Amino acid sequence: MLSIKENELLTQIGPGTPMGKLMRQYWPPIAASQELEASPFRTKEVRLLGEDLVLYRDRSGQLGLIDRWCSHRRVNMAYGVVEQDGLRCQYHGWKFDHTGACTEQPFEETVHPDARFKEKCGVAGYATHETAGLVFAYVGPQPAPSFPMWEPLGWGNVVRDIAISELPCSWLQCQENSLDPVHAEWLHSYFGQYYRGEVVPRGGAADAPVVARTDTQRQPMRANTHTKIGFDVFERGIIKRRVLKNTTEEDDSWAIGHPIMFPNILLVGNETSCTMQWRVPVDDSHTYPVSLYTFRAAPGSAAPKQESIPSRIVQLFDEQGNWTNLEHTFNQDYLCWASQGPIAERNREKLGESDKGIILFRRLLRDQLKRFQDGETPMNVFRGAEREIPLELPLERVPMGTHRKPIYFPGEAGWSADRTLIEETMATWTKVAGYAL
Ligand code: FES
Ligand SMILES: [Fe+2]
């Protein structure tokens, strides 16, 4: 439980707030590169840490991330014209480059060719970094820290996929879920099977027939009952460990565990494939969950070539506005995070043994905030000349105590446009001992 004041301290991330300043030290992903290619305007409206921005790629290939509202009369420049060296506002033709500088004001320059009006009309412009099919942004003070090149971002011989959604809730309750192993046996196992009609059939008589699964739906997981959970702070965040009814502390789920990278990233997976999940703060009460799926070819095999890395917007609601696609693990998570409300009322919660990872994470957040306020460099911020910092991460080999046949089923709704390439890549593992199950 937190006091109302503590809850506000940790969840308010607008400009000038203590947490807003801390969160502006990082490089969150804000778009898939492919979204710009797919957009008719080669732009994307982005809202990050309470600020409205527009991302675009000019005709020379340069990415720009600038204020969304034109400095002239505040038009939304997501409908602007992308030119060779900047974005031209569609209303009166003022042009802005990727630094936000106003480079042209056609009518003003006609009437006052010698005036320097445009020098006063620039907008904010921010740094971007493109890798693994994602565009990352830095909107904090200069100089920008080095880009953290988390290990899976640099893997070669892989096929990748990206899914992005937007949730009407604070980033913090999304990330707290990463410190909560016990929910998996209920939300992802029991509720998931309930939703699919495999336990108590929904909306029917108790003896109603069980609804048949479609062949696109995954086999139900075992109950995976937890008997022990543990958490350790490490140099990049927290390692989450679990022992299940059918595993021991010798198994990777305890011995290696899953890393949560400070402040808002989770890595789940094993040597065959992994998912990095960022919970990107849009504003105090909205979050972009951004998932990067990486599928590796088995040693000695070659992954098929991808033309570009596909991305999709995850469908969360049906036409009536109800939550849907809840057979997917992440959609189940998204439902729970959003249903805690725009900002979870942590002053009213009752934390138990299953929540000790959450308590540790909140402590880490407060410690890092204090450290930052004292002028020290917070966790996972790297100051130096290097443009990128390579970062290794622990990864399980055998998750949950058993090899699983590497198959592709999307963690969240919608299939990858490169499904066949992913399946081809996963099939390379069937030649490896232990995986041909
Ligand atoms: S509003 Fe953008 S140029 Fe006038
Ligand atoms: Fe989950």
Side-chain angles (χ1 to χ4, degrees), residues 177 183 187-188 329 333:
N177 167 271
H183 83 275
L187 180 64
H188 302 317
T329 307
D333 284 318

Side-chain angles (χ1 to χ4, degrees), residues 94 136 142 150 184 214 243 376:
W94 290 17
F136 297 80
Q142 291 298 325
W150 302 107
T214 68
V243 178
E376 290 179 60

Side-chain angles (χ1 to χ4, degrees), residues 5-151:
K5 257 190 145 36
E6 286 169 325
N7 200 21
E8 284 173 358
L9 174 72
L10 295 187
T11 54
Q12 292 181 352
I13 44 80
T17 59
M19 271 301 291
K21 288 183 185 167
L22 177 63
M23 295 304 274
R24 278 167 175 76
Q25 297 295 302
Y26 295 92
W27 280 95
I30 52 163
S33 306
Q34 192 263 344
E35 286 185 277
L36 292 177
E37 287 160 30
S39 150
F41 290 94
R42 294 165 68 101
T43 62
K44 180 181 177 182
E45 291 183 5
V46 171
R47 188 165 159 79
L48 181 62
L49 293 159
E51 296 180 46
D52 291 323
L53 308 171
V54 56
L55 176 69
Y56 68 93
R57 191 192 302 281
D58 72 20
R59 301 283 164 186
S60 75
Q62 169 71 49
L63 286 170
L65 179 66
I66 63 174
D67 249 357
R68 196 188 302 165
W69 315 113
C70 176
S71 59
H72 179 211
R73 292 206 353 248
R74 314 287 296 159
V75 156
N76 179 351
M77 292 196 288
Y79 298 93
V81 180
V82 166
E83 298 190 354
Q84 185 64 19
D85 52 359
L87 180 63
R88 191 182 290 282
C89 176
Q90 69 275 22
Y91 208 9
H92 312 96
W94 290 17
K95 185 154 134 182
F96 300 87
D97 72 10
H98 71 278
T99 68
C102 181
T103 56
E104 288 181 30
Q105 292 175 313
F107 189 73
E108 305 306 314
E109 289 166 29
T110 302
V111 177
H112 299 295
D114 301 323
R116 302 175 64 181
F117 181 37
K118 66 181 176 218
E119 290 172 17
K120 296 187 200 136
C121 297
V123 296
Y126 298 107
T128 55
H129 189 99
E130 198 169 19
T131 191
L134 285 167
V135 178
F136 297 80
Y138 175 76
V139 297
Q142 291 298 325
S146 307
F147 180 80
M149 193 68 180
W150 302 107
E151 200 182 332

Side-chain angles (χ1 to χ4, degrees), residues 28-331:
I30 52 163
S33 306
Q34 192 263 344
E35 286 185 277
L36 292 177
E37 287 160 30
S39 150
F41 290 94
R42 294 165 68 101
T43 62
K44 180 181 177 182
E45 291 183 5
V46 171
R47 188 165 159 79
L48 181 62
L49 293 159
E51 296 180 46
D52 291 323
L53 308 171
V54 56
L55 176 69
Y56 68 93
R57 191 192 302 281
D58 72 20
R59 301 283 164 186
S60 75
Q62 169 71 49
L63 286 170
L65 179 66
I66 63 174
D67 249 357
R68 196 188 302 165
W69 315 113
C70 176
S71 59
H72 179 211
R73 292 206 353 248
R74 314 287 296 159
V75 156
N76 179 351
M77 292 196 288
Y79 298 93
V81 180
V82 166
E83 298 190 354
Q84 185 64 19
D85 52 359
L87 180 63
R88 191 182 290 282
C89 176
Q90 69 275 22
Y91 208 9
H92 312 96
W94 290 17
K95 185 154 134 182
F96 300 87
D97 72 10
H98 71 278
T99 68
C102 181
T103 56
E104 288 181 30
Q105 292 175 313
F107 189 73
E108 305 306 314
E109 289 166 29
T110 302
V111 177
H112 299 295
D114 301 323
R116 302 175 64 181
F117 181 37
K118 66 181 176 218
E119 290 172 17
K120 296 187 200 136
C121 297
V123 296
Y126 298 107
T128 55
H129 189 99
E130 198 169 19
T131 191
L134 285 167
V135 178
F136 297 80
Y138 175 76
V139 297
Q142 291 298 325
S146 307
F147 180 80
M149 193 68 180
W150 302 107
E151 200 182 332
L153 296 176
W155 283 345
N157 203 21
V158 300
V159 168
R160 292 192 168 95
D161 187 41
I162 292 166
I164 299 179
S165 43
E166 181 170 351
L167 294 178
C169 65
S170 155
W171 75 278
L172 184 57
Q173 58 219 55
C174 308
Q175 184 64 2
E176 284 180 344
N177 167 271
S178 304
L179 284 302
D180 170 11
V182 173
H183 83 275
E185 70 184 75
W186 290 103
L187 180 64
H188 302 317
S189 183
Y190 184 74
F191 171 83
Q193 293 176 53
Y194 170 63
Y195 182 79
R196 294 190 295 265
E198 290 154 2
V199 292
V200 188
R202 288 176 297 143
D207 58 354
V210 164
V211 178
R213 291 190 305 275
T214 68
D215 60 2
T216 57
Q217 287 173 337
R218 186 164 51 170
Q219 296 295 311
M221 282 164 48
R222 277 174 306 180
N224 282 335
T225 312
H226 292 75
T227 55
K228 184 173 174 183
I229 58 174
F231 305 87
D232 295 296
V233 174
F234 79 121
E235 61 175 344
R236 304 273 164 256
I238 294 177
I239 301 280
K240 166 175 71 175
R241 307 176 195 279
R242 62 203 341 153
V243 178
L244 305 173
K245 218 162 68 182
N246 59 340
T247 68
T248 71
E249 292 183 16
E250 307 299 310
D251 287 295
D252 285 1
S253 306
W254 182 270
I256 297 177
H258 293 156
I260 286 102
M261 287 89 86
F262 189 86
N264 61 344
I265 315 174
L266 172 67
L267 173 67
V268 181
N270 56 60
E271 61 182 354
T272 68
S273 66
C274 77
T275 313
M276 284 189 72
Q277 298 172 58
W278 286 262
R279 288 73 198 248
V280 180
V282 171
D283 55 30
D284 292 356
S285 56
H286 292 85
T287 302
Y288 299 134
V290 176
S291 309
L292 173 67
Y293 298 86
T294 308
F295 303 90
R296 305 176 91 176
S301 301
K305 186 167 165 10
Q306 270 182 305
E307 289 309 320
S308 68
I309 297 170
S311 71
R312 64 179 187 280
I313 303 296
V314 181
Q315 190 197 349
L316 304 178
F317 305 103
D318 64 16
E319 283 166 9
Q320 279 75 44
N322 297 315
W323 285 89
T324 190
N325 292 322
L326 295 172
E327 65 274 25
H328 293 267
T329 307
F330 296 178
N331 290 67

